[in-house]
Amino acid sequence: MIAFYTDRLSACPGEPVQIFASDDSGGPCTLEIARVGADRRVFDTVAGIAPGHHPTPDNADTAGCDWPLAHTFTIGSDWPTGYYDLALTNAAGERWHHFVCVRPARGEKTAKALLVLATNTYHAYNYWGGRSAYCDVGALMSGRKRLPDAMAGAIGVLSTRRPFPQAIIAAPDDVPRLANLRPRGFGERPWASDPTWRLRAQMTPYDGSAGFLNKWEHRFVEWAESEGIALDYATDRDIECEPAMLDGYAAVMVVGHSEYWTAGQRDAIEAYVDGGGNFAIFSGNTAFWKVRFDDGGASFICHKWRGFEDDPAASADAAQGTHLWSHNAFARPEAAITGLTFLFGGYHRLGLCAARGQGGYTVYDSLHWSLAGTDLYYGDLIAPELPLLGYENDGCRFTFGSDGVPRAVPTLGVPENLEIVAIAPCAFGEEPGSPYPPIIPPENLDIIARDVFGDPAYATSPGIIRGHAVMASFRRGRGEVFNCGTTEWAHALAARDPFVTRITRNVLSRFGID
């Protein structure tokens, strides 16, 4: 078997990247470095790398692999910014993938827009060595534990010094979307995505939720490059470590599943928007969890639901805790910067969550600037046949005005000046008491009711799981935020849906990306 990881996930031209590898084939390995966008372009090939075989420690998921250095390469001065696939092939023909985000040269910008890769989400789902922030995946897939017990084995300290599972970081081109492409039939048992494909590919329930290749970010980049839209690239960690890098961009954007944010990353994006920057969110479940890095970036801290019980740093300083951004201890719900929250949204066309859902947004504010030239009017559905909606979606509470347009209820950080464009029902969890076995892992509604809403009794209210996906925008400081409200937006762009394409172009044009 061959596997490897790097000392960093991003680098600028002229900077070194170190590879730490293990291979039991006994022969030399070849490294291929290729930028992946609308096409795959190889920038370097290095032969004769001999990593040798090194065991994976039992605690690799929390403490890392500590493998010796196998090779160092330098980012070329002529390598354009982007996502670079690193593929190491051994003498037996086995191949392992990792990646590096190539940023523009320090102090330079090559585009008006910055795409922030959701690498914190990659870390949270990484179960190399057995466990992730979600589950003891190794025990689940081997059959040693059933799902509830395996989920109880999730870890809150995750090493960044280990490989990524290949189904996360190098999914095949035909990996299915995290959405049921058709409504559930009468009396039909609920399902999630394409269970037959996943069983055949031996994918875990967590493989589809993170990663670039053939997932949301890749699909968005393919579309952008085909439209002639230039992008600079950075990672979540870059934004935290170098917040000034945002200065001067007309727009910053996140795509797909930007679920995990550090305090430093959030500080940087808020300062950028308040100072006049534009923030485009083509994502769902955005900024849901507060996380942090320790040990100079070697440890990713993500205790999730046990963010205060299991974290010594949180005991000393609540601000260091890792939990829901909407937790009352932080007094800083994510909707204050995103406009929306997963707590008021949920799932669509997945399991029993809106299993017969409409699949697209219903337009309410047809005069909103994002719909200019779309030929969309009040009551129209946006891309239901794709479907546009699926997997995870963000929303808000609202009432209706006398003009029939929904008005945001300013609660849990949702801004009063939020302009709601379109909505669709979704669910934060599956209905209790149904005759079907649950598919979506249940959220900890008791913790949400107590620590977010301050009312333990709310955990049993139907309203806690009944929500809406929302597309909206709002002004903040001297800047503006647009939020598409769903993870699945990029798939609609990949399908060349004319309505979603025009809306996206309207957002980019308003935000100075022509």
Side-chain angles (χ1 to χ4, degrees):
M1 178 181 177
I2 185 171
F4 75 100
Y5 59 97
T6 59
D7 66 324
R8 59 199 304 178
L9 295 186
S10 76
C12 296
E15 294 181 343
V17 178
Q18 296 180 326
I19 287 178
F20 303 88
S22 175
D23 173 48
D24 58 9
S25 72
C29 300
T30 300
L31 174 68
E32 183 181 82
I33 304 170
R35 185 186 184 280
V36 179
D39 55 17
R40 189 175 192 276
R41 179 184 171 192
V42 177
F43 276 81
D44 199 8
T45 302
V46 182
I49 300 173
H53 174 64
H54 311 287
T56 298
D58 291 339
N59 63 346
D61 43 19
T62 59
C65 290
D66 197 27
W67 290 340
L69 179 66
H71 179 68
T72 300
F73 68 91
T74 300
I75 305 297
S77 60
D78 60 340
W79 294 11
T81 181
Y83 178 98
Y84 282 70
D85 176 45
L86 310 178
L88 190 65
T89 304
N90 67 10
E94 298 170 320
R95 173 173 281 202
W96 193 269
H97 295 264
H98 199 74
F99 77 97
V100 66
C101 169
V102 173
R103 294 167 48 189
R106 293 194 178 277
E108 295 184 8
K109 291 176 173 57
T110 64
K112 295 180 180 179
L114 178 70
L115 175 63
V116 183
L117 299 180
T119 50
N120 287 351
T121 302
Y122 303 2
H123 285 312
Y125 280 90
N126 185 358
Y127 57 85
W128 173 270
R131 299 169 296 175
S132 72
Y134 286 83
C135 181
D136 184 345
V137 180
L140 175 69
M141 299 307 290
S142 68
R144 299 194 311 273
K145 293 181 180 179
R146 296 177 62 84
L147 182 59
D149 294 330
M151 291 179 66
I155 55 177
V157 179
L158 298 89
S159 175
T160 64
R161 303 296 187 250
R162 55 179 174 149
F164 283 101
Q166 295 300 272
I168 288 179
I169 216 68
D173 185 63
D174 63 342
V175 61
R177 289 177 54 192
L178 291 175
N180 297 340
L181 302 185
R182 62 173 178 82
R184 184 170 72 91
F186 179 79
E188 186 176 17
R189 183 182 177 125
W191 73 98
S193 186
D194 186 340
T196 302
W197 190 98
R198 293 182 179 278
L199 182 64
R200 185 172 65 250
Q202 297 184 313
M203 288 186 73
T204 80
Y206 303 96
D207 290 328
S209 299
F212 178 95
L213 288 177
N214 297 314
K215 296 176 183 173
W216 304 286
E217 291 166 333
H218 189 183
R219 298 298 174 235
F220 185 88
V221 168
E222 288 177 324
W223 172 82
E225 292 186 359
S226 70
E227 294 281 312
I229 299 168
L231 301 170
D232 281 351
Y233 291 68
T235 68
D236 291 323
R237 178 79 170 145
D238 293 326
I239 303 305
E240 176 183 18
C241 295
E242 301 178 48
M245 69 179 296
L246 300 182
D247 296 344
Y249 281 109
V252 171
M253 60 185 71
V254 293
V255 174
H257 200 197
S258 184
E259 183 178 3
Y260 295 84
W261 285 23
T262 65
Q265 175 183 7
R266 181 163 175 185
D267 290 345
I269 291 178
E270 288 185 345
Y272 165 77
V273 175
D274 289 344
N278 299 300
F279 186 33
I281 303 173
F282 299 115
S283 172
N285 193 210
T286 305
F288 192 59
W289 292 104
K290 181 177 180 290
V291 296
R292 73 174 190 273
F293 287 90
D294 280 352
D295 305 321
S299 295
F300 180 76
I301 312 301
C302 178
H303 289 283
K304 299 190 76 170
W305 302 108
R306 297 190 59 81
F308 292 98
E309 294 87 344
D310 293 354
D311 191 348
S315 300
D317 179 6
Q320 293 298 309
T322 62
H323 208 291
L324 295 170
W325 267 111
S326 290
H327 195 291
N328 288 326
F330 304 133
R332 201 178 178 189
E334 69 274 14
I337 182 60
T338 64
L340 308 170
T341 172
F342 187 55
L343 290 170
F344 290 148
Y347 303 96
H348 192 97
R349 290 272 192 96
L350 211 64
L352 202 61
C353 295
R356 299 186 181 100
Q358 61 199 50
Y361 276 123
T362 298
V363 172
Y364 281 85
D365 186 0
S366 59
L367 300 180
H368 189 268
W369 57 261
S370 66
L371 300 190
T374 60
D375 195 31
L376 289 168
Y377 299 91
Y378 178 84
D380 284 351
L381 280 175
I382 305 174
E385 70 287 346
L386 290 177
L388 169 60
L389 300 179
Y391 193 37
E392 295 182 332
N393 310 272
D394 294 342
C396 65
R397 297 289 190 235
F398 53 83
T399 59
F400 283 93
S402 59
D403 58 358
V405 174
R407 301 281 190 271
V409 176
T411 184
L412 221 65
V414 173
E416 188 172 10
N417 66 336
L418 188 76
E419 299 178 10
I420 297 174
V421 182
I423 62 176
C426 53
F428 191 64
E430 295 177 294
E431 291 277 354
S434 82
Y436 307 103
I439 293 176
I440 307 301
E443 306 291 351
N444 287 279
L445 301 181
D446 55 340
I447 295 176
I448 292 171
R450 182 193 68 204
D451 296 332
V452 174
F453 294 101
D455 179 8
Y458 189 49
T460 59
S461 168
I464 199 170
I465 65 169
R466 294 177 181 173
H468 288 82
V470 173
M471 181 168 66
S473 71
F474 70 104
R475 302 285 307 188
R476 174 177 162 138
R478 292 190 289 115
E480 190 165 13
V481 177
F482 172 85
N483 194 335
C484 78
T486 180
T487 54
E488 303 307 288
W489 194 264
H491 287 298
L493 290 174
R496 300 291 168 175
D497 179 81
F499 303 106
V500 174
T501 297
R502 182 58 186 263
I503 294 169
T504 307
R505 295 300 308 231
N506 285 346
V507 172
L508 297 183
S509 178
R510 184 176 177 90
F511 287 0
I513 313 302
D514 297 316

